[in-house]
Amino acid sequence: MSGKISGAQMRAARALLRWTALDLAKDSKVGVATIRRVEVVDGDISATKANQAALRHALEAAGVEFIDENGGGAGVRLRKPSGPSPKKK
């Protein structure tokens, strides 16, 4: 993906992680007011490149994958765990 994310993708990513705006602010070092401002837009977020990169990095580090617009629409999903799967009881 080009690095740009939409407000809708940010909202969806936070929902998948069950993060509040404050959780994302702490991990990304971006202000809560900025997060709330960019999330109300469904298109590309209007934030500095540094803030966009910090938000994306924090969400990706937590396990979110951003999905490109590929005919089905841009989106997000959680990455599959890379380690061995937990044993079932």
Side-chain angles (χ1 to χ4, degrees):
M1 193 167 194
S2 66
K4 290 192 174 204
I5 57 177
S6 70
Q9 284 176 299
M10 275 187 51
R11 290 190 307 272
R14 281 198 312 106
L16 284 171
L17 296 170
R18 296 182 182 190
W19 277 10
T20 65
L22 185 58
D23 294 328
L24 180 54
K26 286 179 183 176
D27 275 26
S28 67
K29 308 290 190 266
V30 174
V32 174
T34 299
I35 292 167
R36 289 189 176 133
R37 178 179 51 82
V38 300
E39 283 189 348
V40 299
V41 176
D42 285 333
D44 290 344
I45 63 173
S46 62
T48 65
K49 286 184 181 184
N51 281 349
Q52 287 182 39
L55 291 165
R56 184 181 182 103
H57 176 74
L59 292 166
E60 287 176 337
V64 170
E65 287 184 344
F66 290 92
I67 303 167
D68 287 328
E69 169 67 54
N70 59 4
V76 294
R77 65 179 169 212
L78 290 177
R79 228 180 0 259
K80 286 185 180 179
S82 58
S85 41
K87 293 180 182 178
K88 294 184 179 178
K89 293 183 181 181

